[in-house]
Amino acid sequence: NAGVTQTPKFQVLKTGQSMTLQCAQDMNHEYMSWYRQDPGMGLRLIHYSVGAGITDQGEVPNGYNVSRSTTEDFPLRLLSAAPSQTSVYFCASSYGGQGALYEQYFGPGTRLTVT
Amino acid sequence: DAKTTQPNSMESNEEEPVHLPCNHSTISGTDYIHWYRQLPSQGPEYVIHGLTSNVNNRMASLAIAEDRKSSTLILHRATLRDAAVYYCILVRQTGANNLFFGTGTRLTVIP
């Protein structure tokens, strides 16, 4: 198993550009999520999905869109990049939607810089 | 979501036990206590979780107070590879599997 994979590893955008961060998992996990981590901070939840076709907002959803057309993939779209979106983005997945019982697996992260 | 409080940083000598505390005085009866750690330049990694009873796995032990208002993650013999930020997170038994991270405890292991 490759686990949770994220691409790209690094990205530089100009203000106003759009892009999609890719996340895939090969563990047949129902739950997937996106977090961002700013310097010196803990991770904050952007969007999550409890299964294909179902998505919902987390703590900091503004400026981001998601979709979940397959179990394996959960892309994160930045609609119009802003310097405040400079961060490290982590994707995660877990077996079930009922949180407490299942550990989450995290990808290696995408480091995004918006100039 | 219920909040947790952890010390900002701790130090330990290599090969000694480490006790990482976490206070969660507003924990509800359906909240599980999860611990994750984040090594430098990596994504978080699951360590252990529990509800009421103490738990052991290959990585660590989790000791939960009888009133559940606090818990302690125990690394039995710290190694240099254990240097990381450790997060204590409460996860509700029902609802989506969302993690709400605080700032965690940065563990430094001294050779």
Side-chain angles (χ1 to χ4, degrees):
Chain A
N1 283 354
V4 179
T5 58
Q6 292 184 236
T7 55
K9 285 187 168 49
F10 301 94
Q11 182 70 49
V12 179
L13 290 178
K14 294 188 187 309
T15 298
Q17 287 184 318
S18 63
M19 80 159 294
T20 299
L21 307 185
Q22 301 292 343
C23 174
Q25 52 88 12
D26 60 358
M27 298 173 281
N28 202 32
H29 284 171
E30 296 173 31
Y31 175 92
M32 296 186 74
S33 57
W34 277 101
Y35 295 84
R36 61 176 286 174
Q37 185 172 32
D38 299 326
M41 308 274 290
L43 283 71
R44 290 184 293 168
L45 181 67
I46 305 172
H47 285 285
Y48 65 96
S49 167
V50 297
I54 306 169
T55 63
D56 208 343
Q57 297 181 350
E59 301 173 84
V60 289
N62 292 342
Y64 307 95
N65 273 357
V66 292
S67 60
R68 184 94 180 271
S69 55
T70 67
T71 300
E72 296 77 21
D73 301 298
F74 191 43
L76 177 72
R77 295 184 194 83
L78 279 69
L79 307 172
S80 177
S84 61
Q85 293 178 304
T86 294
S87 191
V88 181
Y89 291 83
F90 292 101
C91 180
S93 73
S94 73
Y95 176 68
Q98 293 279 340
L101 300 178
Y102 303 107
E103 64 185 272
Q104 289 200 28
Y105 295 80
F106 284 80
T110 294
R111 186 174 295 275
L112 176 68
T113 301
V114 183
T115 61
Chain B
D1 296 278
K3 187 177 167 57
T4 63
T5 304
Q6 300 176 252
N8 287 335
S9 62
M10 292 184 64
E11 284 186 354
S12 172
N13 292 319
E14 195 176 8
E15 298 190 5
E16 290 188 356
V18 182
H19 290 232
L20 298 164
C22 181
N23 287 321
H24 28 78
S25 57
T26 60
I27 191 170
S28 76
T30 57
D31 287 340
Y32 279 70
I33 302 158
H34 283 233
W35 284 80
Y36 282 77
R37 73 179 185 180
Q38 187 174 21
L39 280 62
S41 300
Q42 294 189 27
E45 171 187 37
Y46 168 82
V47 178
I48 200 167
H49 77 276
L51 182 63
T52 56
S53 304
N54 294 346
V55 184
N56 300 298
N57 67 20
R58 63 174 179 80
M59 289 181 70
S61 296
L62 176 61
I64 301 172
E66 198 169 328
D67 63 5
R68 300 206 329 124
K69 293 184 186 299
S70 66
S71 61
T72 302
L73 180 71
I74 302 165
L75 307 179
H76 296 287
R77 285 179 72 244
T79 69
L80 296 179
R81 292 184 53 169
D82 291 321
V85 178
Y86 287 78
Y87 297 98
C88 168
I89 303 169
L90 301 182
V91 183
R92 193 132 292 174
Q93 187 174 12
T94 57
N97 188 8
N98 295 333
L99 301 177
F100 296 95
F101 288 79
T103 52
T105 297
R106 181 174 299 277
L107 176 66
T108 300
V109 180
I110 301 166

